[in-house]
Amino acid sequence: MKFGWITAVAVLMIACFTTGASFWCFHQFGGHRMDKDGELAWLRQEFELSSQQLHLIEQAHAKYREICEVHCIDILESRRELRAAIDENAPVEQITRLQERVMEIDRECVSSIKTHFGEIAEIMGGEQSRRYLAEVLPRVADFDHEGPVDLDLRI
């Protein structure tokens, strides 16, 4: 067993490489890059949008995604602070304050999502906008705030 530490280091290096490669592949070939095309294809097909409407929706969503990413960071950070306070047996007042902050950020995010979907619906116009809102607004209640929102509210 005089080479046990070499084996342990090699296994650790392989695990780190595999984790890094998986992370890179997901973000390079999966995640938002694939979702964007899927979202736009869904909108184009389901709501029979013109290329002009699709272009305006893509621009509006790209602009909104920046706002959404800030909300996601705030939500994840507030949840981390709350978990840390609970783990450290912080005073009830501090935990209550942190819970209220998490809920406040959550409400702000949900309101922002609804506003964004309204903007997308406005670009669509007419019956298409009503169908779109009827499709996506009920999903807002189940949104988990674990990442930026997609146009069909799937992450």
Side-chain angles (χ1 to χ4, degrees):
M1 261 330 228
K2 57 182 170 177
F3 296 107
W5 65 274
I6 293 174
T7 303
V9 169
V11 168
L12 183 61
M13 288 176 63
I14 290 169
C16 289
F17 174 78
T18 303
T19 301
S22 297
F23 180 82
W24 181 82
C25 286
F26 173 77
H27 288 286
Q28 191 68 25
F29 302 113
H32 301 303
R33 192 171 286 178
M34 297 276 289
D35 287 343
K36 185 184 120 198
D37 294 338
E39 292 173 79
L40 293 176
W42 174 72
L43 287 174
R44 182 184 310 112
Q45 182 179 14
E46 183 69 25
F47 299 99
E48 300 172 2
L49 301 175
S50 69
S51 58
Q52 176 66 18
Q53 286 173 309
L54 213 53
H55 178 71
L56 291 172
I57 288 171
E58 187 174 11
Q59 285 181 325
H61 192 59
K63 182 179 172 185
Y64 177 72
R65 192 171 277 278
E66 295 172 12
I67 295 167
C68 188
E69 287 175 355
V70 170
H71 289 165
C72 289
I73 291 168
D74 290 346
I75 287 170
L76 293 175
E77 180 62 24
S78 67
R79 287 178 180 176
R80 187 199 59 73
E81 289 174 6
L82 176 60
R83 276 191 303 274
I86 291 170
D87 290 346
E88 295 168 2
N89 293 320
V92 173
E93 299 82 22
Q94 180 182 357
I95 292 173
T96 301
R97 190 173 56 252
L98 290 170
Q99 286 172 329
E100 289 170 356
R101 178 72 179 135
V102 168
M103 290 186 299
E104 175 187 332
I105 295 170
D106 181 73
R107 283 189 301 271
E108 180 182 334
C109 176
V110 167
S111 174
S112 179
I113 290 169
K114 288 179 179 180
T115 299
H116 175 58
F117 286 164
E119 292 167 352
I120 298 301
E122 190 174 311
I123 293 169
M124 291 178 176
E127 178 59 29
Q128 295 159 315
S129 68
R130 287 185 284 283
R131 283 191 325 110
Y132 175 72
L133 290 175
E135 179 78 26
V136 296
L137 286 179
R139 297 178 189 174
V140 174
D142 296 328
F143 186 58
D144 62 8
H145 305 280
E146 294 294 323
V149 68
D150 290 334
L151 291 168
D152 58 358
L153 205 59
R154 295 184 184 113
I155 296 180

